[in-house]
Amino acid sequence: QVQLVESGGGLVQAGGSLRLSCTSSGRSFFTAMGWFRQAPGKEREFVAAISRNAYFTDYADSVKGRFTISRDNAKNTVYLQMGSLNFEDTAVYYCAAALRLSRDMREYDKWGQGTQVTVSS
């Protein structure tokens, strides 16, 4: 049984930084991984994704230049380094696994439980 467990969320001031982690267990980690987020009252949206070998990454326009996705396959962990955070980044952040790099949530068949990120002004 595959499990994805996120960690690293919390409360941060605007302009600050935070690093999220997502650790996979239960099967090979050699899949594409993505981060998505869902703010209150809004639909879940794509944030960033990384290919299984980390050669390719993709970012939503809203986070490009501020967030960095990376992975350590030896640790079965994918990271999301978030910087220059603002109030609009407040959301529950989810990691997910897919067979290929994609922005489409339907491509992701395994999801973590989510971790809350709250940015205060």
Side-chain angles (χ1 to χ4, degrees), residues 37-62:
R37 67 185 181 186
Q38 187 166 18
K42 294 187 177 182
E43 294 185 351
R44 193 171 298 188
E45 64 176 2
F46 169 76
V47 175
I50 188 167
S51 63
R52 63 178 186 171
N53 52 20
Y55 287 171
F56 301 103
T57 58
D58 188 23
Y59 297 91
D61 288 344
S62 59

PDB file of all heavy atoms in Angstrom, residues 37-62:
ATOM      1  N   ARG A  37      -2.309  22.499  -4.311  1.00  0.00           N
ATOM      2  CA  ARG A  37      -2.784  23.185  -3.117  1.00  0.00           C
ATOM      3  C   ARG A  37      -4.248  23.532  -3.274  1.00  0.00           C
ATOM      4  O   ARG A  37      -4.762  23.674  -4.381  1.00  0.00           O
ATOM      5  CB  ARG A  37      -1.958  24.440  -2.837  1.00  0.00           C
ATOM      6  CG  ARG A  37      -2.115  25.550  -3.875  1.00  0.00           C
ATOM      7  CD  ARG A  37      -1.153  26.695  -3.572  1.00  0.00           C
ATOM      8  NE  ARG A  37      -1.286  27.785  -4.530  1.00  0.00           N
ATOM      9  CZ  ARG A  37      -0.500  28.846  -4.556  1.00  0.00           C
ATOM     10  NH1 ARG A  37       0.496  28.966  -3.674  1.00  0.00           N
ATOM     11  NH2 ARG A  37      -0.687  29.796  -5.448  1.00  0.00           N
ATOM     12  N   GLN A  38      -4.896  23.679  -2.121  1.00  0.00           N
ATOM     13  CA  GLN A  38      -6.308  24.039  -2.118  1.00  0.00           C
ATOM     14  C   GLN A  38      -6.552  25.048  -1.015  1.00  0.00           C
ATOM     15  O   GLN A  38      -6.351  24.743   0.177  1.00  0.00           O
ATOM     16  CB  GLN A  38      -7.189  22.799  -1.920  1.00  0.00           C
ATOM     17  CG  GLN A  38      -8.663  23.080  -2.076  1.00  0.00           C
ATOM     18  CD  GLN A  38      -9.479  21.812  -2.222  1.00  0.00           C
ATOM     19  OE1 GLN A  38      -9.036  20.726  -1.888  1.00  0.00           O
ATOM     20  NE2 GLN A  38     -10.686  21.946  -2.750  1.00  0.00           N
ATOM     21  N   ALA A  39      -6.961  26.225  -1.415  1.00  0.00           N
ATOM     22  CA  ALA A  39      -7.297  27.282  -0.473  1.00  0.00           C
ATOM     23  C   ALA A  39      -8.777  27.163  -0.115  1.00  0.00           C
ATOM     24  O   ALA A  39      -9.573  26.590  -0.881  1.00  0.00           O
ATOM     25  CB  ALA A  39      -7.003  28.641  -1.086  1.00  0.00           C
ATOM     26  N   PRO A  40      -9.179  27.707   1.020  1.00  0.00           N
ATOM     27  CA  PRO A  40     -10.589  27.627   1.424  1.00  0.00           C
ATOM     28  C   PRO A  40     -11.516  28.209   0.361  1.00  0.00           C
ATOM     29  O   PRO A  40     -11.292  29.313  -0.140  1.00  0.00           O
ATOM     30  CB  PRO A  40     -10.628  28.468   2.702  1.00  0.00           C
ATOM     31  CG  PRO A  40      -9.243  28.398   3.232  1.00  0.00           C
ATOM     32  CD  PRO A  40      -8.339  28.357   2.030  1.00  0.00           C
ATOM     33  N   GLY A  41     -12.528  27.438   0.007  1.00  0.00           N
ATOM     34  CA  GLY A  41     -13.493  27.904  -0.961  1.00  0.00           C
ATOM     35  C   GLY A  41     -13.030  27.861  -2.403  1.00  0.00           C
ATOM     36  O   GLY A  41     -13.740  28.334  -3.299  1.00  0.00           O
ATOM     37  N   LYS A  42     -11.850  27.317  -2.641  1.00  0.00           N
ATOM     38  CA  LYS A  42     -11.313  27.273  -4.007  1.00  0.00           C
ATOM     39  C   LYS A  42     -11.033  25.838  -4.424  1.00  0.00           C
ATOM     40  O   LYS A  42     -10.926  24.941  -3.587  1.00  0.00           O
ATOM     41  CB  LYS A  42     -10.042  28.104  -4.097  1.00  0.00           C
ATOM     42  CG  LYS A  42     -10.246  29.592  -3.886  1.00  0.00           C
ATOM     43  CD  LYS A  42      -8.983  30.372  -4.160  1.00  0.00           C
ATOM     44  CE  LYS A  42      -9.201  31.858  -4.033  1.00  0.00           C
ATOM     45  NZ  LYS A  42      -7.972  32.634  -4.340  1.00  0.00           N
ATOM     46  N   GLU A  43     -10.901  25.645  -5.712  1.00  0.00           N
ATOM     47  CA  GLU A  43     -10.578  24.319  -6.224  1.00  0.00           C
ATOM     48  C   GLU A  43      -9.095  24.028  -6.019  1.00  0.00           C
ATOM     49  O   GLU A  43      -8.270  24.930  -5.927  1.00  0.00           O
ATOM     50  CB  GLU A  43     -10.926  24.234  -7.715  1.00  0.00           C
ATOM     51  CG  GLU A  43     -12.408  24.328  -8.006  1.00  0.00           C
ATOM     52  CD  GLU A  43     -12.725  24.111  -9.467  1.00  0.00           C
ATOM     53  OE1 GLU A  43     -11.772  24.051 -10.267  1.00  0.00           O
ATOM     54  OE2 GLU A  43     -13.910  24.006  -9.818  1.00  0.00           O
ATOM     55  N   ARG A  44      -8.793  22.766  -5.968  1.00  0.00           N
ATOM     56  CA  ARG A  44      -7.390  22.356  -5.860  1.00  0.00           C
ATOM     57  C   ARG A  44      -6.672  22.743  -7.154  1.00  0.00           C
ATOM     58  O   ARG A  44      -7.202  22.578  -8.247  1.00  0.00           O
ATOM     59  CB  ARG A  44      -7.287  20.850  -5.621  1.00  0.00           C
ATOM     60  CG  ARG A  44      -5.923  20.373  -5.192  1.00  0.00           C
ATOM     61  CD  ARG A  44      -5.941  18.901  -4.762  1.00  0.00           C
ATOM     62  NE  ARG A  44      -6.816  18.702  -3.615  1.00  0.00           N
ATOM     63  CZ  ARG A  44      -6.899  17.548  -2.949  1.00  0.00           C
ATOM     64  NH1 ARG A  44      -6.145  16.509  -3.327  1.00  0.00           N
ATOM     65  NH2 ARG A  44      -7.724  17.418  -1.933  1.00  0.00           N
ATOM     66  N   GLU A  45      -5.458  23.249  -7.001  1.00  0.00           N
ATOM     67  CA  GLU A  45      -4.717  23.710  -8.169  1.00  0.00           C
ATOM     68  C   GLU A  45      -3.293  23.186  -8.181  1.00  0.00           C
ATOM     69  O   GLU A  45      -2.700  22.903  -7.133  1.00  0.00           O
ATOM     70  CB  GLU A  45      -4.690  25.248  -8.211  1.00  0.00           C
ATOM     71  CG  GLU A  45      -3.961  25.892  -7.064  1.00  0.00           C
ATOM     72  CD  GLU A  45      -3.877  27.409  -7.205  1.00  0.00           C
ATOM     73  OE1 GLU A  45      -4.418  27.972  -8.177  1.00  0.00           O
ATOM     74  OE2 GLU A  45      -3.238  28.032  -6.326  1.00  0.00           O
ATOM     75  N   PHE A  46      -2.765  23.089  -9.370  1.00  0.00           N
ATOM     76  CA  PHE A  46      -1.396  22.642  -9.575  1.00  0.00           C
ATOM     77  C   PHE A  46      -0.416  23.682  -9.070  1.00  0.00           C
ATOM     78  O   PHE A  46      -0.616  24.888  -9.259  1.00  0.00           O
ATOM     79  CB  PHE A  46      -1.178  22.399 -11.068  1.00  0.00           C
ATOM     80  CG  PHE A  46       0.248  22.188 -11.460  1.00  0.00           C
ATOM     81  CD1 PHE A  46       0.882  20.982 -11.207  1.00  0.00           C
ATOM     82  CD2 PHE A  46       0.967  23.204 -12.075  1.00  0.00           C
ATOM     83  CE1 PHE A  46       2.194  20.785 -11.579  1.00  0.00           C
ATOM     84  CE2 PHE A  46       2.280  23.021 -12.441  1.00  0.00           C
ATOM     85  CZ  PHE A  46       2.903  21.808 -12.200  1.00  0.00           C
ATOM     86  N   VAL A  47       0.660  23.207  -8.457  1.00  0.00           N
ATOM     87  CA  VAL A  47       1.711  24.098  -7.981  1.00  0.00           C
ATOM     88  C   VAL A  47       3.030  23.805  -8.705  1.00  0.00           C
ATOM     89  O   VAL A  47       3.629  24.684  -9.308  1.00  0.00           O
ATOM     90  CB  VAL A  47       1.914  23.960  -6.460  1.00  0.00           C
ATOM     91  CG1 VAL A  47       3.094  24.812  -5.999  1.00  0.00           C
ATOM     92  CG2 VAL A  47       0.656  24.345  -5.707  1.00  0.00           C
ATOM     93  N   ALA A  48       3.472  22.556  -8.631  1.00  0.00           N
ATOM     94  CA  ALA A  48       4.757  22.202  -9.234  1.00  0.00           C
ATOM     95  C   ALA A  48       4.808  20.695  -9.424  1.00  0.00           C
ATOM     96  O   ALA A  48       4.103  19.951  -8.744  1.00  0.00           O
ATOM     97  CB  ALA A  48       5.913  22.660  -8.354  1.00  0.00           C
ATOM     98  N   ALA A  49       5.669  20.266 -10.341  1.00  0.00           N
ATOM     99  CA  ALA A  49       5.848  18.837 -10.571  1.00  0.00           C
ATOM    100  C   ALA A  49       7.293  18.575 -10.994  1.00  0.00           C
ATOM    101  O   ALA A  49       7.972  19.464 -11.516  1.00  0.00           O
ATOM    102  CB  ALA A  49       4.884  18.333 -11.633  1.00  0.00           C
ATOM    103  N   ILE A  50       7.711  17.344 -10.772  1.00  0.00           N
ATOM    104  CA  ILE A  50       9.083  16.960 -11.102  1.00  0.00           C
ATOM    105  C   ILE A  50       9.071  15.547 -11.683  1.00  0.00           C
ATOM    106  O   ILE A  50       8.333  14.681 -11.199  1.00  0.00           O
ATOM    107  CB  ILE A  50       9.987  17.065  -9.846  1.00  0.00           C
ATOM    108  CG1 ILE A  50      11.459  16.864 -10.205  1.00  0.00           C
ATOM    109  CG2 ILE A  50       9.530  16.114  -8.749  1.00  0.00           C
ATOM    110  CD1 ILE A  50      12.398  17.276  -9.063  1.00  0.00           C
ATOM    111  N   SER A  51       9.874  15.339 -12.706  1.00  0.00           N
ATOM    112  CA  SER A  51       9.944  14.018 -13.314  1.00  0.00           C
ATOM    113  C   SER A  51      10.670  13.052 -12.388  1.00  0.00           C
ATOM    114  O   SER A  51      11.329  13.445 -11.430  1.00  0.00           O
ATOM    115  CB  SER A  51      10.653  14.105 -14.665  1.00  0.00           C
ATOM    116  OG  SER A  51      12.001  14.549 -14.490  1.00  0.00           O
ATOM    117  N   ARG A  52      10.571  11.776 -12.705  1.00  0.00           N
ATOM    118  CA  ARG A  52      11.109  10.776 -11.787  1.00  0.00           C
ATOM    119  C   ARG A  52      12.614  10.871 -11.640  1.00  0.00           C
ATOM    120  O   ARG A  52      13.161  10.534 -10.584  1.00  0.00           O
ATOM    121  CB  ARG A  52      10.708   9.381 -12.232  1.00  0.00           C
ATOM    122  CG  ARG A  52      11.253   8.966 -13.575  1.00  0.00           C
ATOM    123  CD  ARG A  52      10.840   7.545 -13.891  1.00  0.00           C
ATOM    124  NE  ARG A  52      11.461   7.055 -15.118  1.00  0.00           N
ATOM    125  CZ  ARG A  52      11.389   5.785 -15.498  1.00  0.00           C
ATOM    126  NH1 ARG A  52      10.727   4.911 -14.777  1.00  0.00           N
ATOM    127  NH2 ARG A  52      11.974   5.410 -16.612  1.00  0.00           N
ATOM    128  N   ASN A  53      13.295  11.334 -12.672  1.00  0.00           N
ATOM    129  CA  ASN A  53      14.750  11.450 -12.587  1.00  0.00           C
ATOM    130  C   ASN A  53      15.187  12.885 -12.299  1.00  0.00           C
ATOM    131  O   ASN A  53      16.373  13.187 -12.327  1.00  0.00           O
ATOM    132  CB  ASN A  53      15.397  10.951 -13.881  1.00  0.00           C
ATOM    133  CG  ASN A  53      14.801  11.608 -15.105  1.00  0.00           C
ATOM    134  OD1 ASN A  53      14.182  12.675 -14.996  1.00  0.00           O
ATOM    135  ND2 ASN A  53      14.975  11.006 -16.258  1.00  0.00           N
ATOM    136  N   ALA A  54      14.215  13.761 -12.052  1.00  0.00           N
ATOM    137  CA  ALA A  54      14.462  15.174 -11.719  1.00  0.00           C
ATOM    138  C   ALA A  54      15.012  15.979 -12.891  1.00  0.00           C
ATOM    139  O   ALA A  54      15.426  17.125 -12.693  1.00  0.00           O
ATOM    140  CB  ALA A  54      15.388  15.301 -10.516  1.00  0.00           C
ATOM    141  N   TYR A  55      14.997  15.420 -14.080  1.00  0.00           N
ATOM    142  CA  TYR A  55      15.503  16.178 -15.237  1.00  0.00           C
ATOM    143  C   TYR A  55      14.547  17.308 -15.624  1.00  0.00           C
ATOM    144  O   TYR A  55      14.973  18.327 -16.159  1.00  0.00           O
ATOM    145  CB  TYR A  55      15.694  15.253 -16.427  1.00  0.00           C
ATOM    146  CG  TYR A  55      16.871  14.315 -16.322  1.00  0.00           C
ATOM    147  CD1 TYR A  55      17.052  13.293 -17.251  1.00  0.00           C
ATOM    148  CD2 TYR A  55      17.801  14.432 -15.299  1.00  0.00           C
ATOM    149  CE1 TYR A  55      18.126  12.418 -17.161  1.00  0.00           C
ATOM    150  CE2 TYR A  55      18.873  13.567 -15.198  1.00  0.00           C
ATOM    151  CZ  TYR A  55      19.040  12.561 -16.137  1.00  0.00           C
ATOM    152  OH  TYR A  55      20.099  11.709 -16.046  1.00  0.00           O
ATOM    153  N   PHE A  56      13.261  17.105 -15.366  1.00  0.00           N
ATOM    154  CA  PHE A  56      12.263  18.080 -15.785  1.00  0.00           C
ATOM    155  C   PHE A  56      11.443  18.537 -14.594  1.00  0.00           C
ATOM    156  O   PHE A  56      11.102  17.747 -13.719  1.00  0.00           O
ATOM    157  CB  PHE A  56      11.333  17.472 -16.837  1.00  0.00           C
ATOM    158  CG  PHE A  56      12.045  16.998 -18.065  1.00  0.00           C
ATOM    159  CD1 PHE A  56      12.280  15.650 -18.255  1.00  0.00           C
ATOM    160  CD2 PHE A  56      12.478  17.888 -19.026  1.00  0.00           C
ATOM    161  CE1 PHE A  56      12.939  15.188 -19.385  1.00  0.00           C
ATOM    162  CE2 PHE A  56      13.145  17.450 -20.157  1.00  0.00           C
ATOM    163  CZ  PHE A  56      13.377  16.095 -20.333  1.00  0.00           C
ATOM    164  N   THR A  57      11.160  19.825 -14.586  1.00  0.00           N
ATOM    165  CA  THR A  57      10.272  20.393 -13.583  1.00  0.00           C
ATOM    166  C   THR A  57       9.279  21.314 -14.267  1.00  0.00           C
ATOM    167  O   THR A  57       9.509  21.775 -15.393  1.00  0.00           O
ATOM    168  CB  THR A  57      11.041  21.182 -12.507  1.00  0.00           C
ATOM    169  OG1 THR A  57      11.792  22.230 -13.144  1.00  0.00           O
ATOM    170  CG2 THR A  57      11.983  20.288 -11.707  1.00  0.00           C
ATOM    171  N   ASP A  58       8.189  21.579 -13.584  1.00  0.00           N
ATOM    172  CA  ASP A  58       7.160  22.455 -14.116  1.00  0.00           C
ATOM    173  C   ASP A  58       6.546  23.208 -12.949  1.00  0.00           C
ATOM    174  O   ASP A  58       6.391  22.651 -11.857  1.00  0.00           O
ATOM    175  CB  ASP A  58       6.093  21.637 -14.847  1.00  0.00           C
ATOM    176  CG  ASP A  58       5.096  22.509 -15.588  1.00  0.00           C
ATOM    177  OD1 ASP A  58       5.423  23.670 -15.921  1.00  0.00           O
ATOM    178  OD2 ASP A  58       3.969  22.031 -15.842  1.00  0.00           O
ATOM    179  N   TYR A  59       6.205  24.471 -13.186  1.00  0.00           N
ATOM    180  CA  TYR A  59       5.656  25.310 -12.126  1.00  0.00           C
ATOM    181  C   TYR A  59       4.445  26.082 -12.626  1.00  0.00           C
ATOM    182  O   TYR A  59       4.396  26.502 -13.788  1.00  0.00           O
ATOM    183  CB  TYR A  59       6.691  26.318 -11.635  1.00  0.00           C
ATOM    184  CG  TYR A  59       7.911  25.704 -11.014  1.00  0.00           C
ATOM    185  CD1 TYR A  59       9.036  25.410 -11.768  1.00  0.00           C
ATOM    186  CD2 TYR A  59       7.931  25.413  -9.646  1.00  0.00           C
ATOM    187  CE1 TYR A  59      10.159  24.837 -11.181  1.00  0.00           C
ATOM    188  CE2 TYR A  59       9.050  24.841  -9.057  1.00  0.00           C
ATOM    189  CZ  TYR A  59      10.160  24.556  -9.831  1.00  0.00           C
ATOM    190  OH  TYR A  59      11.265  23.985  -9.256  1.00  0.00           O
ATOM    191  N   ALA A  60       3.504  26.286 -11.728  1.00  0.00           N
ATOM    192  CA  ALA A  60       2.424  27.212 -12.022  1.00  0.00           C
ATOM    193  C   ALA A  60       3.004  28.618 -12.110  1.00  0.00           C
ATOM    194  O   ALA A  60       3.972  28.948 -11.410  1.00  0.00           O
ATOM    195  CB  ALA A  60       1.369  27.146 -10.921  1.00  0.00           C
ATOM    196  N   ASP A  61       2.423  29.441 -12.945  1.00  0.00           N
ATOM    197  CA  ASP A  61       2.919  30.808 -13.111  1.00  0.00           C
ATOM    198  C   ASP A  61       2.932  31.577 -11.783  1.00  0.00           C
ATOM    199  O   ASP A  61       3.800  32.412 -11.548  1.00  0.00           O
ATOM    200  CB  ASP A  61       2.060  31.560 -14.128  1.00  0.00           C
ATOM    201  CG  ASP A  61       2.293  31.078 -15.547  1.00  0.00           C
ATOM    202  OD1 ASP A  61       3.303  30.389 -15.790  1.00  0.00           O
ATOM    203  OD2 ASP A  61       1.446  31.380 -16.421  1.00  0.00           O
ATOM    204  N   SER A  62       1.973  31.268 -10.933  1.00  0.00           N
ATOM    205  CA  SER A  62       1.836  32.011  -9.679  1.00  0.00           C
ATOM    206  C   SER A  62       2.985  31.756  -8.704  1.00  0.00           C
ATOM    207  O   SER A  62       3.181  32.537  -7.772  1.00  0.00           O
ATOM    208  CB  SER A  62       0.510  31.659  -9.003  1.00  0.00           C
ATOM    209  OG  SER A  62       0.444  30.267  -8.749  1.00  0.00           O
TER     210      SER A  62
END
